Amino acid sequence: MGCFVKALFFSVSVLSLAATAALAQVPSPIGSQPWPESAAPTAPIAAPQDIPYAGTLKLAVDATDLDRKIWNVTTTIPVSKAGDFVFLYPQWVPGGHSPRNDLDKLAGLAVTANGKRIPWTRDVVSVHAFHVDVPAGVSEIQVSYQFLTAVEGKVGRIEVTPEMLNLQWLQVTMYPAGYYTRRIPIEASVKLPEGWKLATALETAKVEGQVTTFKPTTVETLVDSPIFAGKYFKSIDLDPTGPAPVRLNMVADSPELLEAKPEHIQIHKNLVQQAYKLYGAHHYDHYDFLVALSDKIGGIGLEHHRSSENRVTPKYFTEWDKSFVGRDLLSHEYTHSWNGKFRRAADLWTPNLNVPMRDSMMWVYEGQTQYWGNVLAARSGLLTKQQALDSIAATAATYDNRRGRDWRPVQDTTNDPIIANRKPLSWLSWQRSEDYYSEGLLVWLDADTLIREKTGGKKSLDDFAKAFFGVDNGSYVPRTYTFDDVVSTLNGVVAHDWASFLKTRIQEVQEKGPLDGLERGGYKLVYTATPTEFMKAAESRAKSTGLSYSLGLSVGSDGVISDVQWGGPAFKAGLTQGLTVVAVNGEAFDGDKLKAAVTAAMKPENPLVELLLKDGSRYKSVKIDYRGGLRYPRLEKIAGAPTRLDDILTPRK
């Protein structure tokens, strides 16, 4: 792998130099002036090499400015020779699958050496790269800047509140070009507000007052080891006698939110044990769940090899029976330690954070993680069996009705983190988004039930998980794979044309929703007029009225339409998201009135649903031609069929 990558980058460099030379021969446009010196191309950026960097970088972050939410950063970089030197700000976000690191929030950049300022120049093509001309006799440079975290939601994700912060080293790290990040040593420290405690996968070297200094590591490991810190902090050991420490580290908006009942802590302990039973190995020397119980800090669910960043509802523990929607977050991110961090697609692995990643195998990385996240949530007790079934029903209904499947295969959605960069979409059901997650879940359910059917229940996708993710117990050195490796491992579980199975479901357009796994699992998707408890809770959490499978729209509690199903009744009536529903059948809007109107319209003698809509300063009245009543998804057992799905969700002994 390493030789291939080096050869590839050598070729790219040669091509780049050739292109630059060719460009110089192209005649200037008539009337143009010579290239201004200030905009002249900068020197080439060295391709990363798998060689050690001479010296250890030192990174210091002062995160005490809670009022203005500003982090002051200084990086000391050893240099071995005078002349052009290039340092990089990370561009590609591991786990984000896209080049979306917050370069725009970096400000006040200054470079000094021996106490004197050195001019810097941003690369005119690779804008995450910075050039400096190192003077003779200089052995290190200091790079200082501020990282301006978002002060309000419209600027970006909130990372600092009066009670907590989420420091991602990826956002505050500079590193030298020309090296694999795993070969660049770095020693980091952080200064926190007085009295705050922190959690991270990094190991602490010393604590002096408000400053915590961590043991030297590599840039690769540092950026994979974020910090949660806060005024209200609690850490719980989830596996005191296990092969490696696993901790549940929590920060909260207020201290009472950290109080958890013993049975709820036991469920999180169950998660660790059920994961071990599934994978048969672990790939960390310790693992730290970083969990924010908050509605103030920005939402996050992000995987790392020895930790994960998770934000849950503030009343995660105190309203356990109401907060189950989305509770598979921890099991999903935990699974990524095996799937995504340890086993990683070969074309996703890169030598540093400025080389483009390729997302072609996201349907394994995220799709199978989505599957195991749901399964482990049920097996551990994060979700009850019924909640897990209802969650699967909601997913199945999405893809039973997603019209974008008519033109766009799952494979192409693996490009969406780069294409759409997770921006809002006007027509989600037609454009599709990162459907490799949840449609991927249904594909892997299909594979699991097929294995069970072919082997009479003797084998399952659990056997694939153990064979694929359970190798090299204790190692956390990434091990890459290809499509052929996935197929080979599946065939090692049970012989089948798995290549065609996967290519058909992932690479080809499919008119029919991927529901075979449900039916082989003993259930069928049905729609009823009564929502499941899961759907009710999901509506409550989203503060919306979801009528996607009836009127074909969702409406927020403020009356603003948040989604319209492509080709549905609301679509045919000319509705789009962003319109405001002012009234329903002549009465002021609320969600219950809208549902009642849909139900009433089932009788032919009653009027159709009529909405008064506000579009900016204009108003219009629209009748929606629909009389099918309310429709909510749920799973129904198939009489006489083996309920393989029940076994899938059952805890392992």
Side-chain angles (χ1 to χ4, degrees):
M1 181 65 188
C3 293
F4 170 76
V5 170
K6 283 190 281 189
L8 172 64
F9 282 104
F10 176 78
S11 299
V12 171
S13 299
V14 170
L15 288 171
S16 298
L17 290 171
T20 301
L23 184 63
Q25 306 303 315
V26 176
S28 299
I30 296 174
S32 68
Q33 299 299 315
W35 192 306
E37 189 172 336
S38 61
T42 45
I45 301 170
Q49 299 183 63
D50 194 5
I51 57 176
Y53 187 74
T56 299
L57 281 63
K58 291 191 176 181
L59 168 62
V61 180
D62 185 333
T64 57
D65 190 346
L66 298 179
D67 293 332
R68 292 170 297 192
K69 307 180 190 300
I70 296 171
W71 294 337
N72 287 287
V73 186
T74 300
T75 303
T76 301
I77 305 176
V79 293
S80 57
K81 62 181 181 178
D84 185 67
F85 180 82
V86 180
F87 57 88
L88 305 173
Y89 182 75
Q91 180 179 11
W92 286 77
V93 180
H97 318 310
S98 60
R100 59 183 176 93
N101 200 23
D102 291 319
L103 179 63
D104 59 305
K105 295 181 176 62
L106 186 150
L109 181 64
V111 182
T112 59
N114 295 335
K116 295 182 179 180
R117 197 82 168 251
I118 304 175
W120 57 266
T121 304
R122 191 190 300 266
D123 195 272
V124 294
V125 176
S126 301
V127 295
H128 292 71
F130 301 86
H131 298 254
V132 293
D133 186 7
V134 177
V138 168
S139 60
E140 63 181 27
I141 60 173
Q142 285 77 41
V143 184
S144 301
Y145 45 98
Q146 293 83 45
F147 184 80
L148 309 177
T149 76
V151 295
E152 52 182 334
K154 69 179 182 181
V155 178
R157 176 176 169 264
I158 299 298
E159 295 170 285
V160 178
T161 77
E163 296 81 26
M164 68 181 68
L165 63 81
N166 176 196
L167 171 62
Q168 295 180 320
W169 298 106
L170 185 80
Q171 297 177 321
V172 295
T173 298
M174 297 285 195
Y175 66 94
Y179 300 84
Y180 284 24
T181 51
R182 70 186 183 198
R183 305 301 297 274
I184 305 173
I186 190 168
E187 179 185 278
S189 65
V190 62
K191 184 178 182 181
L192 295 174
E194 191 167 359
W196 282 31
K197 294 182 179 179
L198 66 82
T200 176
L202 297 174
E203 296 181 13
T204 299
K206 61 182 177 179
V207 179
E208 296 178 327
Q210 296 170 240
V211 177
T212 300
T213 301
F214 302 99
K215 294 180 180 178
T217 184
T218 65
V219 169
E220 179 180 69
T221 298
L222 179 74
V223 299
D224 196 43
S225 308
I227 288 175
F228 271 22
K231 182 186 298 185
Y232 310 116
F233 176 92
K234 191 173 187 177
S235 183
I236 297 172
D237 190 342
L238 296 180
D239 194 19
T241 60
V246 179
R247 294 176 286 261
L248 180 65
N249 305 286
M250 299 170 289
V251 291
D253 291 337
S254 55
E256 70 276 5
L257 298 173
L258 295 171
E259 298 306 315
K261 293 180 179 178
E263 58 265 32
H264 299 152
I265 296 302
Q266 184 59 51
I267 286 171
H268 292 79
K269 292 181 177 180
N270 294 345
L271 173 58
V272 178
Q273 299 308 315
Q274 288 297 319
Y276 287 169
K277 292 178 188 299
L278 173 63
Y279 301 118
H282 67 282
H283 299 295
Y284 45 75
D285 54 352
H286 58 86
Y287 189 91
D288 286 271
F289 289 100
L290 310 178
V291 183
L293 287 73
S294 176
D295 57 7
K296 298 179 182 179
I297 205 161
I300 192 168
L302 189 60
E303 67 272 14
H304 303 281
H305 210 143
R306 300 185 298 163
S307 64
S308 58
E309 297 169 89
N310 311 270
R311 193 204 72 177
V312 298
T313 175
K315 297 181 179 179
Y316 181 78
F317 288 120
T318 56
E319 292 187 355
W320 183 264
D321 293 338
K322 297 179 181 179
S323 62
F324 54 86
V325 174
R327 204 184 283 152
D328 61 316
L329 175 63
L330 268 65
S331 51
H332 178 103
E333 303 304 346
Y334 188 37
T335 285
H336 271 314
S337 181
W338 288 266
N339 182 11
K341 304 308 291 187
F342 173 62
R343 294 309 305 266
R344 195 176 309 176
D347 66 351
L348 183 66
W349 181 91
T350 59
N352 73 19
L353 296 158
N354 293 71
V355 172
M357 299 175 183
R358 292 163 175 81
D359 294 343
S360 66
M361 298 288 285
M362 282 291 109
W363 51 273
V364 180
Y365 182 122
E366 293 289 6
Q368 197 169 135
T369 295
Q370 190 78 351
Y371 181 68
W372 290 128
N374 276 260
V375 169
L376 287 173
R379 290 182 185 178
S380 64
L382 286 167
L383 297 175
T384 66
K385 174 188 163 186
Q386 189 58 51
Q387 289 165 352
L389 290 171
D390 291 345
S391 175
I392 293 170
T395 298
T398 296
Y399 296 100
D400 189 38
N401 291 274
R402 181 140 291 180
R403 290 292 303 278
R405 301 183 74 259
D406 295 345
W407 70 275
R408 192 178 187 193
V410 174
Q411 183 65 63
D412 191 56
T413 72
T414 66
N415 297 303
D416 255 32
I418 301 169
I419 294 172
N421 204 15
R422 295 184 171 171
K423 296 190 299 287
L425 301 175
S426 296
W427 299 102
L428 175 62
S429 63
W430 183 240
Q431 291 170 275
R432 307 195 77 175
S433 183
E434 297 176 42
D435 286 352
Y436 54 83
Y437 274 88
S438 293
E439 188 164 340
L441 177 156
L442 296 173
V443 169
W444 289 111
L445 173 61
D446 194 357
D448 197 349
T449 54
L450 180 59
I451 293 171
R452 291 166 185 268
E453 180 182 67
K454 291 176 71 69
T455 63
K458 294 179 181 178
K459 292 186 177 181
S460 69
L461 199 65
D462 290 47
D463 295 283
F464 171 88
K466 192 164 291 186
F468 199 71
F469 305 116
V471 295
D472 298 343
N473 185 32
S475 170
Y476 46 98
V477 176
R479 181 165 171 170
T480 61
Y481 63 85
T482 63
F483 177 85
D484 289 343
D485 293 327
V486 175
V487 170
S488 176
T489 306
L490 284 167
N491 274 312
V493 176
V494 62
H496 185 67
D497 186 2
W498 289 109
S500 296
F501 175 95
L502 294 171
K503 287 178 180 178
T504 299
R505 289 157 178 78
I506 300 299
Q507 298 178 7
E508 298 177 9
V509 171
Q510 297 289 310
E511 293 182 6
K512 180 176 175 289
L515 305 185
D516 290 350
L518 280 181
E519 296 181 7
R520 204 182 293 112
Y523 287 85
K524 61 181 177 180
L525 176 68
V526 299
Y527 297 88
T528 67
T530 304
T532 62
E533 291 302 311
F534 187 92
M535 292 298 293
K536 290 179 184 177
E539 277 196 4
S540 176
R541 181 178 179 180
K543 298 179 181 179
S544 71
T545 300
L547 301 173
S548 294
Y549 311 122
S550 53
L551 287 186
L553 53 73
S554 295
V555 189
S557 58
D558 57 359
V560 176
I561 297 175
S562 56
D563 185 57
V564 173
Q565 289 280 335
W566 187 273
F571 176 90
K572 291 176 181 176
L575 274 63
T576 67
Q577 68 179 44
L579 299 176
T580 300
V581 181
V582 178
V584 180
N585 290 352
E587 296 188 29
F589 165 80
D590 72 39
D592 289 339
K593 287 178 184 175
L594 182 56
K595 291 178 182 178
V598 172
T599 300
M602 293 177 70
K603 296 181 179 180
E605 64 271 22
N606 288 341
L608 293 168
V609 176
E610 184 173 1
L611 304 180
L612 177 62
L613 301 167
K614 184 176 185 293
D615 182 5
S617 61
R618 301 169 64 91
Y619 290 82
K620 62 180 178 180
S621 183
V622 172
K623 289 183 179 180
I624 301 179
D625 188 7
Y626 174 75
R627 294 190 181 274
L630 298 172
R631 298 177 77 243
Y632 297 100
R634 65 174 67 233
L635 297 186
E636 185 178 278
K637 284 190 176 182
I638 300 172
T643 51
R644 298 185 178 97
L645 185 51
D646 288 354
D647 182 62
I648 289 170
L649 301 176
T650 299
R652 295 305 180 245
K653 302 297 184 182

